[in-house]
Every structure is written in structure tokens, then in C-alpha cells.
Amino acid sequence: MEIAENRKILGSIKRARKKWDASQQQVRRQRSNLRRMIRQSKTEMWRRFSTSTTRDQVWQALRYTKPGGQQTRKTLGSRTGEVAESWEDKAELIKEEAFPKPLKGVERKAQEEGGEMWKKITDEDIRVALFDQSVKKAPGPDRLQFKAIGLLWEWDSQRIVNIVKASFRLRIHPQVWKEAKGVVIPKPNKPDYGVAKAYRVITLLNYLGKVVEKVAANAIAEECERRRLLHDGQFGCRKRRSAIDAVGRLMKRVKEGWGRGNTAAVLLMDVKGAFPHVTKGNLIKRMEEMGFEADLVRWVESFMEDRKVIMSMDGKEGDSIISKKNSVQAEWLHQSGRALSEPSETPRWRITPRPASIQRVALYIAL
């Protein structure tokens, strides 16, 4: 109970820290207290286990002391029946499965000049983007964790502010932030781990690059909300909206249909690969048509170009590999991609949220 209570206290102090109602020293002090309590609890539980263990439980205790691992099988098969045995061949199979080739889109280049989005970015926008990052995320290829970037903000916040603003002013996302570490882990509860599709790749990016992405995400989201660019049925990746709201609206429509004597049916669809399949040309074209600042559009184009990944599997890292796809898995990209097309609506059926830009669709039909 004491650990749970201290976790709640730490959470409240962190929330207060974001509003400048608490200091970083208070966060550190409470985090240190929580960690000390956890260590003491683990030590006490291990002492009780070791003193009361039976002969059969000794070997179980030995397994606890061995480090775990996420190992792939000695051979992996592809969808086409190809079998890979070497580390390089297995990494290539998994890469092709995790990073499929993009759909063919329009050819479009962003404007090189114009735009003043970078002037609208405030120091507070950057601070919020920085401290909204999860401290539990693993670091990227530079191995700098959130704590290091947080200390840099305390010591010299203006340096981070200048870096972020320069990225948008120059309309580039530096190449060093486009390189990700791709950690291969098995998907849970798969019947056969001898195939490449039974594994997923977790991409780890550098923290400072994530801060710039978060600033872009917030700018795009705020512009979409201010100008009402998103469909009213869009609930994902929007503030003050949740899956509960989407279900509530769907239930309301069903009950209204019943009240009119209609038969209501709901078809739920999961669009495979929708999240990472926003093509660069289509997105650039749509953002320009929607009137986004030219410097923001050009930065988006730079962000999506020349992506690289370092595959990490079975305790070994490979060389940096150029990703052949033009689409990127990123929260801000998914937000803006939702505004790519208008939904078709008639009095007889509705689609919520918008098609061709989402991962899950609920189709309500009143008969």
C-alpha cells in the first residue's frame, strides 16, 4: 500500500511540475523515496522466499537469477516460403515484414521558400513537448535518455529552444534524428515463431528529435482544431475525445434507429497497415491545399526523407539500413493524415471516423 500511495504522490508532483507548481528537486526526492521503498520490498520478499524455499523451488530460484532474452528461431520463413538462416538474412526478412514498400502516391515537392510557422513557436510550446515525453521509453542510437535532456533544459534551456526553432526555420529534420534503432521482439501468443511475421520491430529514436516531432504534432493538431479541418466523427489522437465517446455516439445512433423502427447493424473493420502508410507526396499535396505554413510543410517533407534503421536482434546490431518506404510511423503524421479525405454520408449510412486515413472504421447501417 505504501508503494502505491507513493506512486500516486509522485504522479501528482510530476503533474504539478508541468504547471511550474513544483520543482524538479521535489520530483527527484519523491522518485528516490519510491525507488528505495521498492528495493527494500524486493529485498524483504527475496529474503522470505530464500529462507522458506523447498528443494524443488531451488531450481526455480536459479531461473530467476538468469537474464531473459528475446531470441528468434534458428531459421525463419517468409510469406513466399523463403527460409533464412544467417543473422543478416533473418534481419532482412523481418525488415521487409515490418517496413513494407509504400503505396504509390502522387509526385509532389514542397515549396522551398515562405512560411512563418517557426516564429509562432514559443518557449512554453517546446517545454511542454519536452516534458510530455515518457521517461520510461528506451533511448535511441545516441543512448541519451530523457533525464539527460531534462538536465540540459535546466542548465541551458535556450540552447534547446534555438535548436528546435532552427529546425523549422531551416525547414529540415537533421539526418542524425532520422536514424532509428529497430529492436526485434516476438509478438505474444503466436502459434509459430518460425516465421518472420511473428515478430515486430520497435523503433527507438533519439529523444531530442522526438521533441521536435512533438512540437510539429501539437502545431498540426491545434491548426486542425482551430480551422475545423477534421471530421466531427474523428476521435483518435484528439484532445478531450476518447474511444468511450466514439462508442457512446454509436450507441446513440443505434438507439435512435430502433426508436424509428429500423434494424441497426454495425460492421467493424480494421484496416491493415493503415498507420504507417501515409505517402509523402499525398500528404504534402493535401497540407498545401489545406493552407498549412510552407516552412512546416517543407519540414514534414524533410522528416519523411532518407529514413534509416539499425536492426537489433539476438543481442547483435547490424549496419544502418536505408528504409525504402516513404511513410513513417509517427503520431503527428497520423493526426494530419486523418484529414486526407471527406467521408461519404447519406441518410441511410455513416462511416465514423473518416475512411482512407484511419486504422479502425465503424460502419453503421440503418435498415
Side-chain angles (χ1 to χ4, degrees):
M1 286 295 294
E2 292 183 6
I3 293 178
E5 288 297 326
N6 275 269
R7 279 202 178 101
K8 291 181 181 179
I9 295 173
L10 178 59
S12 63
I13 295 177
K14 285 182 177 180
R15 289 190 292 272
R17 170 75 176 109
K18 292 181 180 180
K19 299 178 182 178
W20 296 98
D21 294 334
S23 65
Q24 187 65 24
Q25 286 75 16
Q26 290 176 285
V27 175
R28 292 174 184 167
R29 192 181 305 114
Q30 182 60 29
R31 184 187 293 121
S32 178
N33 292 338
L34 177 60
R35 288 175 176 173
R36 183 174 62 254
M37 293 183 65
I38 293 174
R39 286 196 300 269
Q40 291 175 350
S41 178
K42 287 182 176 180
T43 301
E44 179 61 22
M45 290 182 66
W46 181 254
R47 186 190 64 79
R48 291 199 303 264
F49 175 82
S50 60
T51 55
S52 61
T53 184
T54 63
R55 179 180 300 178
D56 295 336
Q57 292 174 326
V58 170
W59 300 111
Q60 182 181 359
L62 179 61
R63 287 196 297 272
Y64 290 161
T65 63
K66 290 184 177 180
Q70 302 285 357
Q71 299 290 321
T72 61
R73 294 287 179 86
K74 292 184 178 180
T75 61
L76 287 182
S78 67
R79 294 178 182 269
T80 59
E82 181 182 357
V83 178
E85 296 183 0
S86 66
W87 188 95
E88 291 76 12
D89 291 341
K90 290 194 293 183
E92 183 64 25
L93 278 185
I94 295 176
K95 182 178 76 70
E96 291 178 357
E97 187 72 33
F99 304 103
K101 293 182 180 180
L103 301 175
K104 187 177 181 180
V106 299
E107 294 293 334
R108 186 68 169 251
K109 296 291 291 183
Q111 298 180 14
E112 294 291 338
E113 304 296 335
E116 297 185 345
M117 178 267 184
W118 67 275
K119 294 182 179 180
K120 303 175 183 177
I121 300 174
T122 65
D123 294 7
E124 178 63 13
D125 293 334
I126 299 173
R127 188 196 70 81
V128 170
L130 172 61
F131 287 97
D132 270 356
Q133 303 289 333
S134 173
V135 297
K136 297 180 180 180
K137 289 185 177 179
D142 63 3
R143 298 186 179 182
L144 287 178
Q145 295 185 341
F146 171 79
K147 180 182 287 188
I149 306 300
L151 287 174
L152 177 58
W153 178 267
E154 289 188 4
W155 296 336
D156 192 359
S157 61
Q158 194 59 43
R159 184 181 297 271
I160 296 180
V161 169
N162 293 340
I163 290 174
V164 174
K165 289 187 175 182
S167 181
F168 292 106
R169 178 172 56 84
L170 299 175
R171 305 171 181 83
I172 61 170
H173 192 66
Q175 186 61 46
V176 67
W177 293 341
K178 298 181 187 180
E179 188 172 80
K181 181 179 179 180
V183 181
V184 178
I185 63 173
K187 298 178 181 178
N189 304 321
K190 291 296 179 180
D192 182 11
Y193 287 95
V195 292
K197 66 180 182 179
Y199 299 85
R200 66 163 53 99
V201 179
I202 304 298
T203 54
L204 305 178
L205 294 165
N206 294 332
Y207 260 103
L208 199 52
K210 291 181 182 179
V211 174
V212 179
E213 294 175 31
K214 189 67 175 180
V215 172
N218 293 339
I220 293 174
E222 290 173 4
E223 185 73 3
C224 287
E225 296 292 347
R226 184 179 66 84
R227 295 169 52 197
R228 300 182 65 86
L229 298 176
L230 299 178
H231 185 263
D232 188 54
Q234 171 61 43
F235 289 88
C237 297
R238 297 182 70 177
K239 292 182 179 180
R240 295 177 292 278
R241 297 198 182 199
S242 67
I244 297 176
D245 298 321
V247 173
R249 174 174 291 192
L250 181 61
M251 291 175 63
K252 179 176 180 293
R253 290 178 177 173
V254 170
K255 290 182 178 180
E256 289 175 349
W258 288 346
R260 294 190 297 268
N262 295 330
T263 299
V266 177
L267 174 63
L268 303 177
M269 294 178 287
D270 190 349
V271 183
K272 181 180 180 181
F275 187 73
H277 274 90
V278 178
T279 55
K280 180 177 67 176
N282 289 16
L283 181 59
I284 297 304
K285 178 176 181 293
R286 188 61 176 143
M287 291 185 71
E288 290 180 342
E289 292 174 349
M290 297 168 70
F292 282 93
E293 294 278 3
D295 54 347
L296 177 59
V297 178
R298 178 66 187 93
W299 180 90
V300 169
E301 182 181 52
S302 173
F303 177 86
M304 299 183 71
E305 293 174 337
D306 303 324
R307 308 292 303 192
K308 294 183 179 180
V309 61
I310 302 173
M311 297 294 288
S312 176
M313 181 179 67
D314 298 344
K316 176 182 176 181
E317 289 188 4
D319 297 328
S320 179
I321 303 173
I322 297 177
S323 178
K324 296 180 180 179
K325 69 174 186 173
N326 293 325
S327 55
V328 188
Q329 267 193 327
E331 177 187 357
W332 66 267
L333 188 59
H334 203 199
Q335 290 175 341
S336 57
R338 295 181 187 276
L340 290 175
S341 63
E342 290 296 329
S344 301
E345 293 195 11
T346 72
R348 301 285 291 177
W349 62 276
R350 294 173 183 268
I351 295 182
T352 305
R354 55 181 57 233
S357 61
I358 40 73
Q359 186 173 5
R360 293 177 178 85
V361 181
L363 177 61
Y364 163 64
I365 307 173
L367 304 175

